[in-house]
Amino acid sequence: MATKSNTQNGPVQAVELYQFDGADVWQEGDDRAQIRGYFPLSPGTPNASEVSGDDLMLVCIEIEPGNYLPSHRDSNEELLLVTAGTVEATIGEESVELSNGACAIVPEMVPHGLRNTGETTARVVGVFPNDELTATFEETLMPFGTDVVTIGGDTS
């Protein structure tokens, strides 16, 4: 397997995924449509590290019991990995329960959302094969004030 050296970012570094101040995200009018998002490997986003991949992005979210990440479509395929708690992932027309250590694939532009069905805070890592992501929600997402949110990409 060939690998590409990423010299622009210097030596290999460890990054604690949840050490940064998260961004509270919600939809107005629905007290349960809220999460806390972290973008640890996306330079240029608030409170992120300067570590990044050339062709990779991580989005980390925390969902309190009973709350959910509203349905949306992403511009890239996504690997969802639950690192704590239990969520119901709805992907297209299907739903599946994912607990700590379980993962699921979301195809590009397929509507999907997550609901915390457990009794503790759920933590989910989304892995994307690109350093830029555009997520289109069905309703306006706050604090962004829009239903289309772009993260990452060229920060120069």
Side-chain angles (χ1 to χ4, degrees):
M1 169 188 231
T3 60
K4 178 170 78 171
S5 173
N6 189 352
T7 56
Q8 75 182 43
N9 296 320
V12 173
Q13 299 177 41
V15 176
E16 293 292 328
L17 297 180
Y18 297 95
Q19 75 173 341
F20 306 101
D21 290 334
D24 290 322
V25 179
W26 69 95
Q27 286 183 337
E28 290 184 340
D30 186 342
D31 291 342
R32 295 292 184 181
Q34 59 181 295
I35 65 160
R36 174 162 287 167
Y38 300 82
F39 310 97
L41 304 182
S42 303
T45 58
N47 303 314
S49 76
E50 290 305 312
V51 178
S52 70
D54 288 336
D55 299 308
L56 182 69
M57 176 186 285
L58 290 183
V59 174
C60 303
I61 63 172
E62 291 180 342
I63 309 172
E64 295 300 322
N67 289 354
Y68 66 95
L69 170 64
S71 182
H72 62 285
R73 297 171 188 263
D74 292 326
S75 58
N76 298 307
E77 180 177 55
E78 178 179 14
L79 169 68
L80 294 170
L81 172 63
V82 177
T83 60
T86 302
V87 298
E88 177 184 71
T90 300
I91 303 168
E93 299 295 321
E94 298 182 54
S95 293
V96 62
E97 183 176 282
L98 302 172
S99 294
N100 187 15
C103 64
I105 299 288
V106 179
E108 177 181 328
M109 297 307 291
V110 170
H112 61 286
L114 299 171
R115 179 177 303 277
N116 183 339
T117 57
E119 296 180 12
T120 62
T121 301
R123 288 184 166 178
V124 181
V125 175
V127 181
F128 299 92
N130 196 314
D131 70 345
E132 182 174 337
L133 170 68
T134 298
T136 304
F137 289 80
E138 295 174 359
E139 296 182 28
T140 299
L141 198 64
M142 300 305 291
F144 307 107
T146 181
D147 61 341
V148 178
V149 178
T150 299
I151 301 165
D154 186 7
T155 60
S156 60

